[in-house]
Amino acid sequence: MMRLPLFEFRAPRSIAEAVRILDGEGPQAMPLAGGTDLLPNMKRRQQVPKTLMSLNRISELHGTELNDSSSRLGACVTLSEIAADSRFCNGMTALAQAASFVATPQIRNMATLGGNLCLDTRCNYYNQNYEWRKSIGFCLKKDGDTCWVAPGSSKCMAVSSTDTAPALMALGARVRLISRLGEREVPLAELYQNDGIHYIRRQPNELLTEVLLNPLPGWKSAYWKLRRRGSFDFPVLSVAAAARLSANNMVEESRIVVGSVACLPLVAAEASKFLVGRPLNQDSIAAAAMLAARIAKPLDNTDFDMTWRKRVTAEFVTYALRELRGDDMRGERLLLTRHSSGF
Ligand SMILES: Cc1cc2nc3c(=O)[nH]c(=O)nc-3n(C[C@H](O)[C@H](O)[C@H](O)COP(=O)(O)OP(=O)(O)OC[C@H]3O[C@@H](n4cnc5c(N)ncnc54)[C@H](O)[C@@H]3O)c2cc1C
Ligand code: SF4
């Protein structure tokens, strides 16, 4: 049985108290939300905080407000709550889909939006127990000095594996970060950076308190995910697409984001720009899919063959864009759920 290392436990009741604790304890303290990622990581000694600070009792982090002028989702809203909330439809469908595709129902009941956005990056050489990692001399990301994926590299290339970040980036979301020194609002797309170790620009003394969304009238969005087991696994390729469509289905604005093929979710800017002013027809979808797929650079450190993951990226972008224009995609969805492992 893998046991948790010893740690101190704090359970503040307000954001103000929480950021005082983070400030006082320094980087040795980590926020604990649902614990569905952090606690297994602690058992494997990938993350060993001296202090765990539970966010569970902070009521300010739990609410969701959706209205015509703006929307906010508290960091501790659970993924089950998002997946089951019928208000996340039309413009925000991608978010509900992404939340509903994370892990299993039991995990989604505990897992929070904030935890999903701050999720640690993943790699086949890192997501192993302590003894396994020790047997290869560990790796750059934790306790070692070699990257086993690219031994000549001084940079870790562990993969961003969050489902909701690509979806929220396609929706143009921002996040609020609060520390004892003040607060800042950051476009979600700017929260991440291309480094498997320092993948997030959140400072250790900052708490992610909420996700903010502008109103999305006329927008449609969709999220597609590749994983081995259709009802369980982390994504190894994902595509979120959102577009504002005119009455005659012309694209007025669009955002395509490709996830789980790099240390951060990648904005497919060229493909998004290409679609503007065009109808979503077979030709424009095929061209945008090719452009978006170009940016995907999967490595050999997650599930499935990396060249195959690269190759099917265009197909996943096609699925997402076809869903936006209103095609009935239930057959393709079902096929993916049932036969992911057969691809
Ligand atoms: C079997 C299994 C399958 C999984 N499958 C998926 C999957 O398919 N897709 C996926 O995206 N994830 C998956 N996960 C990972 C995890 O369950 C989810 O990402 C979940 O949303 C994490 O949220 P949490 O609240 O449990 O985070 P925690 O585990 O509590 O925290 C995760 C990280 O975020 C930090 N953190 C949490 N909240 C905040 C905050 N408000 N401010 C600052 N930092 C914060 C923590 O310090 C920690 O570093 C899986 C996990 C398991 C065990
Ligand atoms: S990419 Fe390299 S350094 Fe990063 S977790 Fe994998 S093996 Fe370790």
Side-chain angles (χ1 to χ4, degrees):
M1 186 205 286
M2 288 194 291
R3 293 182 189 281
L4 283 168
L6 289 176
F7 57 88
E8 283 173 30
F9 184 73
R10 307 289 296 270
R13 289 182 182 271
S14 68
I15 292 175
E17 192 187 345
V19 296
R20 267 201 307 276
I21 294 172
L22 288 182
D23 197 53
E25 300 271 338
Q28 290 294 321
M30 287 180 79
L32 175 73
T36 59
D37 197 61
L38 182 51
L39 295 178
N41 282 2
M42 286 173 66
K43 288 184 176 180
R44 293 187 292 253
R45 306 304 190 259
Q46 291 158 264
Q47 293 174 310
V48 277
K50 191 168 104 357
T51 304
L52 276 188
M53 185 187 75
S54 169
L55 305 179
N56 200 28
R57 292 186 185 172
I58 307 178
S59 56
E60 299 146 278
L61 299 178
H62 287 267
T64 298
E65 285 166 28
L66 300 181
N67 55 50
D68 292 343
S69 55
S70 68
S71 300
R72 65 162 289 278
L73 288 87
C76 284
V77 170
T78 67
L79 299 183
S80 289
E81 284 167 342
I82 294 171
D85 192 330
S86 58
R87 293 173 299 167
F88 292 111
C89 57
N90 300 320
M92 289 190 267
T93 307
L95 174 60
Q97 289 173 330
S100 71
F101 296 158
V102 171
T104 62
Q106 292 87 345
I107 290 174
R108 291 194 293 275
N109 287 343
M110 295 298 294
T112 66
L113 184 59
N116 196 246
L117 294 180
C118 297
L119 185 66
D120 195 10
T121 50
R122 296 179 63 80
C123 171
N124 287 344
Y125 296 91
Y126 172 70
N127 294 100
Q128 304 288 350
N129 65 33
Y130 183 84
E131 287 72 25
W132 192 102
R133 290 188 296 114
K134 188 176 174 194
S135 72
I136 59 162
F138 301 102
C139 79
L140 265 185
K141 187 160 159 71
K142 179 81 177 88
D143 298 329
D145 52 18
T146 304
C147 171
W148 297 108
V149 177
S153 168
S154 57
K155 200 181 110 189
C156 164
M157 289 154 189
V159 181
S160 163
S161 306
T162 149
D163 276 303
T164 62
L168 281 167
M169 280 167 59
L171 302 183
R174 290 158 286 130
V175 289
R176 190 180 307 286
L177 296 162
I178 301 188
S179 75
R180 200 172 178 188
L181 302 174
E183 60 181 80
R184 59 187 179 122
E185 215 177 278
V186 182
L188 184 59
E190 291 172 21
L191 185 67
Y192 303 109
Q193 55 191 5
N194 194 14
D195 183 322
I197 298 173
H198 308 288
Y199 59 92
I200 194 164
R201 294 198 169 100
R202 176 184 85 83
Q203 298 302 317
N205 65 348
E206 286 179 317
L207 194 61
L208 191 158
T209 57
E210 58 186 2
V211 174
L212 303 148
L213 284 163
N214 286 336
L216 294 160
W219 283 79
K220 287 184 174 177
S221 66
Y223 181 75
W224 284 76
K225 164 174 178 172
L226 173 69
R227 52 183 161 175
R228 184 171 291 271
R229 290 166 294 183
S231 59
F232 194 101
D233 285 316
F234 281 89
V236 290
L237 163 68
S238 64
V239 172
R244 185 160 54 85
L245 301 170
S246 67
N248 56 349
N249 251 0
M250 296 289 272
V251 177
E252 295 176 332
E253 225 179 312
S254 91
R255 284 189 219 102
I256 300 172
V257 180
V258 183
S260 306
V261 287
C263 305
L264 76 174
L266 301 171
V267 178
E270 221 182 316
S272 310
K273 198 169 151 204
F274 172 83
L275 285 175
V276 175
R278 291 187 157 85
L280 280 180
N281 60 28
Q282 200 175 337
D283 290 344
S284 66
I285 289 178
M290 291 307 291
L291 287 173
R294 265 193 218 160
I295 63 170
K297 304 248 181 325
L299 289 172
D300 198 11
N301 60 349
T302 63
D303 200 2
F304 289 133
D305 177 72
M306 62 178 180
T307 46
W308 181 79
R309 281 164 64 216
K310 167 87 180 165
R311 193 146 45 82
V312 296
T313 307
E315 288 172 45
F316 276 68
V317 179
T318 304
Y319 290 155
L321 292 176
R322 283 181 55 204
E323 189 163 311
L324 292 195
R325 78 169 176 195
D327 288 14
D328 182 352
M329 301 301 290
R330 279 176 298 183
E332 286 81 353
R333 288 259 184 222
L334 197 62
L335 203 67
L336 266 184
T337 310
R338 289 212 180 132
H339 298 298
S340 288
S341 58
F343 272 89

